[in-house]
Amino acid sequence: MYKIFIVEDDEKIAAILRGRMEQYGYEASAATDFRDLLPQLEAFGPQLVLLDINLPYFDGYYWCRQIRTRSSVPIIFISARAGEMDQVMAIENGGDDYITKPIALELLMAKVRGALRRVYGEYATPTQQHAGPFQSEAALGVNAGIAVSGVAGLSAGGLKLYPSRNELEWRKKRVELTKNECLLAECLLGKPGHIIPREQLLEALWDDVQFVDDNTLTVNVTRLRKKLEELGLPKIIETVRGQGYKLSMEQLEDDGHEA
């Protein structure tokens, strides 16, 4: 049974969401202390988080960033903020999807089911299928130690992706990725030098393409490019107009000769 953690300070809305999750066979729990959510998340160990933006003490963007230091668990933002920039900020801060209030419950459930299938179920990649729920700092430290000593899930020209830790490595430098950035990197490193269609990347990020704004893919690709630039690989992701994106093997090979 999948566990859903609800972060919503409106008790009526939280109760409605919890009831609907349980109606669909999920185990649901709602936050009770908004000063510190992490101990509650560690204790419950959810496979998915529903997160409001307007919260007491700290907003949802802050908590999303905090969760991302511990887990790649899917996070769906739920907010009355309907502006485009609010949705962009949700994705930029590590969120996976966004739904506005008043909540269309059937649409929300479709997004929840899709996220769970993509990360844990029939559409999950092998690395995702072994991904656990929210972890404590101690557990994360143990798992990180194993991943560091292990073999990267994917490698191209010296660029290594560690899906279990959402990290990229180049010349012993590492950057942390959000879950969506990691999924994009996995697609691109899986076929280096080949064009990956935009539709394929959208399907890798979300279960149902009709719920996705094409611009959101562009935002995630831009964010991944910035992470690669931090490693010293600017412009390694090439845009192929009208088709998609590809990982430039030429740049990896050139940089490799310079090393």
Side-chain angles (χ1 to χ4, degrees):
M1 179 185 296
Y2 291 118
K3 295 182 178 181
I4 314 294
F5 191 72
I6 301 162
V7 184
E8 167 61 66
D9 61 325
D10 186 315
E11 294 182 2
K12 290 183 179 179
I13 294 177
I16 291 171
L17 292 174
R18 182 172 182 173
R20 182 53 63 102
M21 297 300 143
E22 292 174 346
Q23 180 182 343
Y24 275 78
Y26 303 123
E27 182 179 349
S29 179
T32 55
D33 181 0
F34 296 95
R35 291 183 181 84
D36 193 359
L37 295 174
L38 298 185
Q40 299 169 74
L41 283 157
E42 289 178 12
F44 187 60
Q47 278 81 30
L48 185 142
V49 176
L50 299 178
L51 181 61
D52 192 10
I53 294 177
N54 295 327
L55 296 168
Y57 308 107
F58 302 98
D59 65 21
Y61 301 137
Y62 169 84
W63 285 119
C64 188
R65 293 192 301 272
Q66 294 302 305
I67 292 170
R68 284 290 171 254
T69 66
R70 307 279 189 89
S71 174
S72 59
V73 61
I75 298 174
I76 299 177
F77 275 89
I78 297 176
S79 177
R81 300 185 187 183
E84 180 178 339
M85 187 50 62
D86 294 310
Q87 299 183 45
V88 169
M89 286 182 63
I91 301 299
E92 288 281 6
N93 280 279
D96 299 285
D97 211 333
Y98 195 102
I99 189 166
T100 57
K101 298 176 182 177
I103 302 168
L105 290 174
E106 290 306 314
L107 175 59
L108 173 62
M109 295 313 303
K111 288 175 178 286
V112 167
R113 290 194 300 270
L116 292 172
R117 283 199 303 270
R118 174 171 50 78
V119 178
Y120 308 106
E122 59 194 280
Y123 299 145
T125 64
T127 54
Q128 288 175 314
Q129 287 172 345
H130 295 291
F134 192 91
Q135 299 176 6
S136 66
E137 282 185 308
L140 187 64
V142 171
N143 291 340
I146 294 172
V148 168
S149 62
V151 179
L154 290 171
S155 179
L159 178 63
K160 300 177 182 179
L161 173 67
Y162 296 86
S164 62
R165 290 190 296 124
N166 287 357
E167 282 190 355
L168 272 174
E169 179 183 304
W170 170 250
R171 293 183 179 177
K172 299 183 180 180
K173 289 179 60 178
R174 288 184 181 154
V175 292
E176 293 184 4
L177 307 176
T178 66
K179 181 168 60 60
N180 278 348
E181 291 165 0
C182 189
L183 289 171
L184 291 176
E186 194 167 3
C187 289
L188 293 166
L189 265 74
K191 292 185 177 180
H194 293 263
I195 299 171
I196 309 299
R198 291 182 69 90
E199 293 78 10
Q200 182 177 334
L201 294 173
L202 286 168
E203 290 174 3
L205 293 178
W206 289 273
D207 176 50
D208 196 330
V209 176
Q210 73 181 32
F211 294 147
V212 180
D213 186 337
D214 192 61
N215 290 332
T216 307
L217 173 60
T218 303
V219 169
N220 279 275
V221 170
T222 299
R223 194 166 58 183
L224 178 58
R225 279 174 164 153
K226 289 179 181 177
K227 298 289 180 70
L228 287 162
E229 188 173 350
E230 291 177 24
L231 291 177
L233 293 170
K235 301 180 180 179
I236 189 172
I237 299 179
E238 298 181 357
T239 301
V240 183
R241 189 176 296 276
Q243 297 184 58
Y245 301 93
K246 72 174 182 178
L247 194 72
S248 171
M249 286 301 295
E250 290 80 5
Q251 184 174 346
L252 284 174
E253 291 168 357
D254 291 342
D255 287 350
H257 292 317
E258 293 173 6

